[in-house]
């Protein structure tokens, strides 16, 4: 996937993003790291085709958009069971009824929620709601997974668990993941590449490849190597912030 000169200016003249140029390889895990309001969600919405760029374009491998979106809020329908929430994208794409059940079971198993298929969102913890939301994004078996600060509202213990589970899923499914966060620590832990953005209008300020022994686990989180990467990326973020302060 490639973004070429992607720029967004909203109706009342707010320059939100860009121009941004970057390429994401198939199967890569990339984080977009930037301060609040720098245009990260705008970038994801443009990639997903939910919003049109003012200038520039998004080139997708294979032509079609095969994308799953995990929003910052789990946005589950409160009146529907977990199973029905996860089935929604399949129903919208008019899949055959017989296939829907199987695909939903697979997606729920992938996120460890198989036992909660009949539960309602209010019966789930915050972490489980996010798992349901992830299952809903995976159920169509998309090539690309877009994740917008999915774990920002969770407590640290839950967030670390979901980080590890997401990495295990990624290793198993080999989807392309674009993960938006404003946490240096989360971006370094999860991704192969961290893209640092400037304040609004967001542009790419720096990029870091995180090359370490795989698979990553809690040992990485407490290693000197991890701390060194976090320091570097943190410094790059400060630089990006400072360069645009007037
Ligand atoms: N629909 C809209 N109409 C007008 N301006 C908008 C709209 N959506 C976003 N903006 C503006 O565009 C800028 C970028 O917004 P965006 O939501 O993409 O930022 P973000 O990096 O995702 O921020 P956060 O980390 O807080 O979620 C902001 O200044 C915001 O006010
Ligand atoms: Mg956002």
């Amino acid at each position: 996937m490639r973004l070429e000169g992607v720029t967004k200016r909203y109706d009342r003249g707010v320059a939100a993003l860009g121009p941004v140029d970057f390429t994401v390889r198939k199967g890569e895990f990339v984080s977009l790291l930037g301060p609040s309001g720098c245009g990260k969600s705008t970038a994801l919405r443009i990639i997903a085709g939910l919003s049109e760029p003012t200038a520039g374009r998004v080139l997708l491998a294979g032509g079609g958009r095969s994308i799953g979106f995990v929003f910052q809020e789990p946005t589950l329908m409160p009146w529907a069971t977990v199973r029905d929430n996860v089935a929604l994208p399949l129903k919208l794409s008019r899949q055959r009824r017989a296939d829907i059940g199987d695909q939903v079971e697979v997606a729920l198993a992938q996120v460890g929620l198989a036992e909660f298929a009949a539960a309602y969102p209010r019966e789930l913890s915050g972490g489980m709601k996010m798992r349901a939301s992830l299952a809903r994004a995976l159920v169509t078996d998309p090539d690309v997974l877009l994740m917008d600060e999915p774990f920002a509202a969770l407590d640290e213990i839950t967030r670390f668990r979901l980080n590890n589970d997401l990495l295990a899923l990624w290793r198993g499914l080999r989807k392309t993941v674009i993960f938006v966060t404003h946490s240096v620590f989360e971006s370094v832990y999860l991704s192969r590449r961290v893209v640092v953005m400037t304040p609004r209008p967001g542009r790419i300020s720096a990029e870091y490849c995180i090359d370490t022994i795989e698979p990553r686990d809690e040992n990485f989180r407490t290693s000197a190597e991890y701390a060194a990467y976090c320091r570097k990326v943190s410094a790059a973020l400060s630089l990006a912030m400072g360069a645009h302060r007037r």
Side-chain angles (χ1 to χ4, degrees):
M1 174 197 307
R2 195 157 82 238
L3 273 64
E4 287 183 352
V6 169
T7 305
K8 182 72 178 185
R9 182 178 284 281
Y10 283 106
D11 289 345
R12 271 177 291 122
V14 180
L17 181 72
V20 164
D21 291 272
F22 83 105
T23 303
V24 182
R25 288 191 308 278
K26 190 168 160 43
E28 199 181 8
F29 195 128
V30 182
S31 285
L32 294 182
L33 173 71
S36 182
C38 80
K40 303 181 298 296
S41 297
T42 299
L44 282 196
R45 281 200 299 271
I46 290 171
I47 293 168
L50 300 173
S51 168
E52 283 296 313
T54 312
R57 57 184 184 158
V58 179
L59 299 160
L60 296 153
R65 269 196 171 83
S66 165
I67 280 170
F69 206 124
V70 181
F71 298 92
Q72 181 164 353
E73 301 298 324
T75 60
L76 301 169
M77 304 177 290
W79 61 86
T81 60
V82 167
R83 179 183 284 120
D84 287 341
N85 269 287
V86 172
L88 183 68
L90 297 176
K91 287 183 179 150
L92 292 177
S93 67
R94 294 175 208 282
Q95 291 258 338
R96 282 182 37 226
R97 259 190 92 95
D99 300 333
I100 290 181
D102 292 347
Q103 284 169 261
V104 169
E105 294 314 312
V106 169
L108 286 174
Q110 280 168 346
V111 302
L113 265 192
E115 289 166 46
F116 292 87
Y120 286 87
R122 64 171 178 276
E123 300 173 291
L124 305 180
S125 68
M128 289 157 83
K129 283 185 191 136
M130 195 37 80
R131 286 177 192 277
S133 176
L134 181 56
R136 186 183 51 192
L138 288 171
V139 77
T140 54
D141 194 22
D143 296 332
V144 180
L145 200 52
L146 304 178
M147 305 185 77
D148 195 356
E149 305 195 38
F151 309 142
L154 302 175
D155 66 86
E156 193 168 83
I157 298 167
T158 307
R159 189 161 65 240
F160 287 2
R161 270 233 32 213
L162 278 160
N163 284 169
N164 289 335
D165 291 353
L166 175 61
L167 284 181
L169 261 178
W170 175 69
R171 283 195 299 274
L173 301 175
R174 284 291 155 183
K175 303 212 178 285
T176 308
V177 179
I178 305 181
F179 188 97
V180 159
T181 180
H182 48 232
S183 164
V184 169
F185 301 103
E186 191 170 52
S187 70
V188 171
Y189 188 71
L190 289 176
S191 45
R192 297 298 177 102
R193 187 153 60 100
V194 179
V195 175
V196 180
M197 293 174 69
T198 68
R200 187 172 65 78
R203 296 167 194 233
I204 294 174
S205 172
E207 283 194 19
Y208 288 92
C209 285
I210 314 298
D211 280 317
T212 184
I213 300 163
E214 306 284 346
R216 299 175 191 188
D217 58 18
E218 291 304 324
N219 291 323
F220 177 53
R221 212 188 270 287
T222 51
S223 68
E225 187 192 18
Y226 176 65
Y229 272 125
C230 289
R231 238 188 336 267
K232 257 196 232 171
V233 172
S234 197
L237 185 60
S238 298
L239 197 68
M241 302 283 295
H244 290 257
R245 204 173 288 141
R246 268 172 265 230

